[in-house]
Amino acid sequence: MPEGDTVWRAAHRLDEALAGDTTTRVDLRVPRLATADLSGKLIDSCVPRGKHLLLRIGGWTLHSHLKMEGEWHVYRPGERWRVPAFRARAVVETSRTQAVGFDLADLALVPTERERELVGHLGPDPLSDRWDLDEAARRVGADARGVHVALLDQRNVAGFGNVYANEMLFVRGIRPSAAATDIDARALVDTGARMIRTNLHRVERTFTGDSRRGRRTWVYGRENQPCRRCGTPVRAGALGAGATRERNVFWCPRCQP
């Protein structure tokens, strides 16, 4: 599931493959960008911002969001794609590399100087060199909604998705529906930041320290299974800011009072 750590890895993989080279072909397969011409331009860098990916090409920024299904692949020229071509939304080629974005959402192209129009609303990013724990904690702690909803609002803190939110709340002993104004937001956000950094270079995320299949999470995806700490069956439900944005929540009723 693409969250901040997944996007960070994708951005750094693209940066290593493309930065410093000149494009030989850029094919943007969405109607509003189909006529954009970025061929023959120097690729400056590819950077992550929370769940957003910014590929800077010759004074322009190609913005993409992975949402639930998106992914970027890197191939050698002529190498067969591992995903059907009809799912490709962006192709960026150089003389030595072909980067292909499949099932991308919110694809946009803006002058690099206007990047903030796309990502300026985001809160502090725990994977950024400019991570500001105090500001992230202030935003989460001032949110009057349930803390699970507050954590997923990228305007409060950028990069945490549903898996991280559930696991962070379990480790801190906080029920997902608790008001964010009533909890220690700084300790919670700091826990999440340490989690996402620890998982950054792992092949598979783990929150328990056990990388074996089926043992990587405390509560996420474990409805009715015994809590790993106390044995109480894990409960599940849904929370969100609206009916169309509800997310599955998992918690232990004993460990998260």
Side-chain angles (χ1 to χ4, degrees):
M1 182 178 298
E3 301 198 26
D5 51 355
T6 303
V7 176
W8 188 95
R9 285 190 293 272
H12 281 259
R13 186 167 60 251
L14 289 177
D15 189 72
E16 290 178 354
L18 297 171
D21 286 356
T22 299
T23 59
T24 55
R25 181 172 77 104
V26 177
D27 182 8
L28 304 180
R29 301 180 180 184
V30 294
R32 66 183 179 279
L33 302 180
T35 60
D37 184 8
L38 294 176
S39 59
K41 296 187 180 298
L42 180 67
I43 301 173
D44 177 65
S45 61
C46 186
V47 298
R49 289 288 182 269
K51 298 183 180 183
H52 302 253
L53 192 149
L54 306 172
L55 180 57
R56 295 164 178 162
I57 306 174
W60 292 85
T61 294
L62 179 63
H63 164 273
S64 59
H65 196 297
L66 301 186
K67 295 291 186 179
M68 294 294 291
E69 306 295 337
E71 55 186 343
W72 278 92
H73 292 187
V74 174
Y75 299 100
R76 296 185 301 275
E79 184 179 359
R80 184 174 181 177
W81 295 354
R82 299 187 299 276
V83 175
F86 73 86
R87 291 169 54 186
R89 296 294 177 266
V91 181
V92 179
E93 290 185 7
T94 70
S95 61
R96 64 186 180 96
T97 303
Q98 186 181 64
V100 187
F102 297 99
D103 300 320
L104 301 176
D106 300 334
L107 202 64
L109 184 66
V110 299
T112 297
E113 62 189 18
R114 291 170 50 196
E115 277 182 359
R116 286 191 59 80
E117 295 177 12
L118 301 175
V119 296
H121 66 287
L122 297 175
D125 181 348
L127 297 179
S128 169
D129 293 337
R130 294 178 292 178
W131 166 237
D132 188 337
L133 172 59
D134 291 330
E135 176 60 17
R138 184 194 68 79
R139 295 189 186 200
V140 171
D143 197 317
R145 298 172 295 177
V147 63
H148 184 273
V149 175
L151 286 174
L152 294 186
D153 190 330
Q154 301 298 294
R155 296 170 298 180
N156 291 333
V157 57
F160 295 140
N162 201 30
V163 179
Y164 274 96
N166 279 282
E167 296 294 290
M168 291 162 61
L169 292 170
F170 174 81
V171 169
R172 297 303 309 177
I174 301 168
R175 193 160 298 193
S177 58
T181 52
D182 293 339
I183 56 94
D184 185 344
R186 194 178 196 281
L188 175 63
V189 173
D190 184 50
T191 295
R194 287 185 284 116
M195 281 180 170
I196 201 168
R197 290 173 184 168
T198 300
N199 277 315
L200 200 53
H201 299 290
R202 286 175 170 160
V203 176
E204 297 285 353
R205 290 188 198 121
T206 178
F207 298 91
T208 62
D210 191 333
S211 59
R212 290 174 292 178
R213 182 180 297 275
R215 301 186 64 84
R216 298 168 186 151
T217 63
W218 291 105
V219 291
Y220 185 83
R222 301 191 64 246
E223 181 179 5
N224 295 325
Q225 297 181 46
C227 172
R228 300 193 193 281
R229 282 183 177 169
C230 71
T232 302
V234 172
R235 293 185 182 176
L239 288 174
T244 61
R245 292 189 290 170
E246 288 191 339
R247 297 291 185 268
N248 293 330
V249 293
F250 303 88
W251 75 97
C252 171
R254 182 174 180 182
C255 294
Q256 295 172 257

